[in-house]
Amino acid sequence: MNVLDLARTQFAVTGSLHFLFVVLTLGLAPLVAIMQTRHVVTGKPVFERMTRFWGQIYVINYALGVFTGLVMEFQFGLTWSRLSHYAGDVFGAPLAIETLVAFFLESTFLGLWIFGWNRLPKKLHLACIWLVTLTAYASAFWIMVANSFLQHPAGTVQRGDHLALADFGALLTNPSLVMAFPHVIGAGLFTGSFVIIGASAYHLFRRTADQEFFRRSLRTGVVWGFVGATLAVGFGYAQFGFVNDIQPNKFETPVTDAALVTMMTIGQLVQFVVMFGMLPLLIRDVLARTRWLHPLLMLMTPLPFVAAIMGWLAREIGRQPWLVFGRLRVADAISPGLTTGMVTFSFIAFVGVLGLLAVVDYLLIARAVRRGPDQVSLGAAEPADPSPAPALAL
């Protein structure tokens, strides 16, 4: 491959690996917040245990996912510097807002939530996880603003050799954004729910001691998995209403058509299975008690991840050969002076780091799932001080 093909492949692979973390974070955050809300409202200990268990999995994924985002930032400077020169005044603004506002706030509230167990009042602690969720969605929103600008550079004008922002409102109401952002939210709920479904099915199949815990978790996953799949499929189809107006022939190439068909097939299949298979079986816990179904649920766990990656690839490949559609071609955006050896080295380094993080993330999550809710450190009560009280001097 030449330098351009290597650079494009590098971004596609690293972007896909990074998105695996992002889509799970966006899915688990609101589900953990819902579980904790049920605990605060009802006072039932099972919902607190659910919050701690699934919250620990969320924290694992979030902590490792932060590092994958750093790799994405490096690539813009190393490989696509002409994009920064040409469109940095517009493209850089939402990325800066995402980092300085949404991400830092999200990290702050997450820290308060992690270390606030048994220290903060219950309602204030609950507010922290909801603020984590809202700022996570705010972060995703600004990333989608930047990506939608690449798809359709609304609100910009050409000034000399670069683009300038002329209408910030047009950037926020970009037709490429208004349906894509809810679609991403649905994909996140879809993915997070199926991780809960698969992990719960694993313990139900093994008939571990805490069956009630995982029956409740399974019900939560199925209900919100249906909501997520419906949002993802509905807003996914809604995008076809205007996509040909801003990007003609976007999905007419064989490659984009095959990524798109895979995503739509998985999304509709899982939505059909959830609606007509899982939801009715929730009555009287038939789904939880029917042991032969549990391996099938475990096998379905990766499907939302596959659908998410296929959807992202279809959205990005369909823009080719443009990086900023109609304004800047991919071939003109690559950094000058790059050699095949340089890009190959960065490719191996970046993919190696992200691949290692993905493997570690999977192993840590799998380990936490296998250990079950009785061995969760998040939110655990601090042990009493074992040292004896000093004797009173007489």
Side-chain angles (χ1 to χ4, degrees):
M1 289 191 289
N2 58 30
V3 172
L4 179 60
D5 290 337
L6 275 171
R8 289 180 61 195
T9 304
Q10 173 182 280
F11 198 89
V13 174
T14 54
S16 298
L17 289 171
H18 174 60
F19 195 49
L20 292 176
F21 292 84
V22 172
V23 74
L24 182 56
T25 295
L26 292 175
L28 284 180
L31 295 177
V32 172
I34 290 168
M35 293 171 189
Q36 187 166 353
T37 301
R38 297 182 72 181
H39 167 62
V40 171
V41 171
T42 66
K44 293 182 178 179
V46 65
F47 292 123
E48 180 184 10
R49 296 178 66 225
M50 288 171 63
T51 303
R52 292 175 53 221
F53 179 70
W54 300 113
Q56 179 157 303
I57 292 173
Y58 167 78
V59 170
I60 291 170
N61 186 74
Y62 180 90
L64 292 171
V66 168
F67 294 101
T68 66
L70 297 176
V71 172
M72 302 300 296
E73 299 291 341
F74 280 127
Q75 289 183 91
F76 289 123
L78 290 174
T79 314
W80 307 104
S81 62
R82 285 175 175 161
L83 169 65
S84 301
H85 173 76
Y86 179 74
D89 291 351
V90 183
F91 183 66
L95 293 181
I97 295 172
E98 186 272 335
T99 301
L100 296 175
V101 179
F103 173 70
F104 283 160
L105 285 175
E106 180 185 2
S107 301
T108 300
F109 291 127
L110 181 59
L112 289 171
W113 184 73
I114 292 173
F115 298 106
W117 283 92
N118 307 311
R119 293 182 176 89
L120 294 176
K122 283 188 176 181
K123 291 184 179 179
L124 181 58
H125 189 243
L126 173 64
C128 288
I129 189 61
W130 276 113
L131 288 170
V132 168
T133 302
L134 292 175
T135 50
Y137 282 176
S139 180
F141 172 78
W142 288 111
I143 292 296
M144 290 304 298
V145 169
N147 181 268
S148 297
F149 158 74
L150 300 179
Q151 306 287 337
H152 178 60
T156 61
V157 294
Q158 185 82 28
R159 291 183 181 169
D161 62 348
H162 67 281
L163 287 179
L165 183 61
D167 186 351
F168 189 66
L171 196 68
L172 300 184
T173 57
N174 193 328
S176 182
L177 169 69
V178 292
M179 294 298 177
F181 180 56
H183 176 68
V184 170
I185 292 176
L189 281 173
F190 182 32
T191 304
S193 296
F194 266 78
V195 168
I196 292 177
I197 290 171
S200 300
Y202 167 78
H203 280 279
L204 291 170
F205 182 74
R206 294 183 63 198
R207 295 176 177 170
T208 52
D210 208 341
Q211 293 288 284
E212 177 62 20
F213 178 95
F214 289 106
R215 282 198 292 267
R216 286 184 180 272
S217 295
L218 182 65
R219 286 198 293 270
T220 300
V222 170
V223 171
W224 287 102
F226 170 70
V227 173
T230 302
L231 286 174
V233 172
F235 281 102
Y237 274 111
Q239 295 181 64
F240 289 105
F242 60 81
V243 70
N244 285 330
D245 294 333
I246 60 176
Q247 289 187 25
N249 307 319
K250 183 179 181 74
F251 299 122
E252 293 185 4
T253 66
V255 176
T256 54
D257 185 61
L260 188 62
V261 170
T262 302
M263 175 193 66
M264 293 171 63
T265 300
I266 292 175
Q268 290 182 313
L269 173 64
V270 175
Q271 185 189 34
F272 179 85
V273 170
V274 171
M275 183 184 298
F276 297 105
M278 294 185 187
L279 284 176
L281 292 178
L282 288 182
I283 302 172
R284 296 183 180 179
D285 282 336
V286 174
L287 186 63
R289 299 177 189 279
T290 307
R291 194 163 180 260
W292 65 267
L293 287 173
H294 300 156
L296 297 178
L297 298 181
M298 287 184 271
L299 290 173
M300 292 177 67
T301 303
L303 293 182
F305 290 97
V306 176
I309 297 302
M310 292 298 103
W312 180 77
L313 289 176
R315 180 177 172 87
E316 299 305 296
I317 294 174
R319 190 176 69 243
Q320 301 300 314
W322 300 100
L323 188 53
V324 180
F325 190 80
R327 302 291 185 88
L328 179 69
R329 292 180 180 272
V330 175
D332 297 325
I334 195 167
S335 300
L338 287 179
T339 64
T340 302
M342 294 165 62
V343 180
T344 300
F345 176 78
S346 63
F347 190 166
I348 294 172
F350 287 158
V351 173
V353 170
L354 265 65
L356 177 62
L357 289 172
V359 172
V360 172
D361 188 48
Y362 167 78
L363 292 176
L364 289 177
I365 290 176
R367 180 170 177 259
V369 169
R370 284 196 302 269
R371 294 175 68 177
D374 292 331
Q375 299 187 52
V376 175
S377 57
L378 179 67
E382 295 182 358
D385 188 355
S387 60
L392 293 176
L394 299 177

